[in-house]
Amino acid sequence: MARELPLPKWGLTMEEGTIVEWLVAPGDRVQEGTVLASVATDKIDVDWESPVEGVVVRHLAEAGSTVAVGEAAIVVADNDDDYQASLGDAGQ
C-alpha cells in the first residue's frame, strides 16, 4: 500500500511550511526517522522525519513550495511491490 504523508504541525500556531529541500528522491528507501525534507515555518526551520518505513514513490510538492499543515506532500509505499504498483498509478 502507498500512503500520502501530510505535512506535520510542529507548533500550536503553525499553519503552513515551505519545503526548502527534499532529502530523499523517488525510489529511495526510508526508515522511520529518516529525514525526508528540510522545512521552513514562520518561526523555525525543521527536519521532517518519516513516520513510516518504505520506498518513496513521489513528491507531491516541489522544493520551494508552501504546503498547508495536513496537506499531503510525499507518497511512500510500504514495500517494493507496492512501490512498483504505485508507479502505474502515478499518472492518475
Side-chain angles (χ1 to χ4, degrees):
M1 177 174 145
R3 66 186 84 202
E4 296 180 346
L5 301 182
L7 185 72
K9 185 173 187 171
W10 286 286
L12 293 175
T13 61
M14 182 181 165
E15 294 181 8
E16 62 186 20
T18 300
I19 306 293
V20 175
E21 176 184 16
W22 284 109
L23 302 174
V24 295
D28 287 354
R29 293 189 155 288
V30 296
Q31 302 294 323
E32 188 173 331
T34 299
V35 178
L36 301 174
S38 176
V39 178
T41 72
D42 60 339
K43 295 185 180 179
I44 61 169
D45 290 350
V46 64
D47 288 337
W48 178 9
E49 296 180 0
S50 178
V52 298
E53 180 179 329
V55 182
V56 176
V57 177
R58 64 185 168 275
H59 301 139
L60 299 175
E62 294 182 24
S65 64
T66 299
V67 179
V69 167
E71 180 180 342
I74 189 170
V75 179
V76 177
D78 290 339
N79 54 47
D80 289 329
D81 289 339
D82 291 339
Y83 170 73
Q84 291 299 326
S86 295
L87 293 179
D89 296 338
Q92 296 178 1

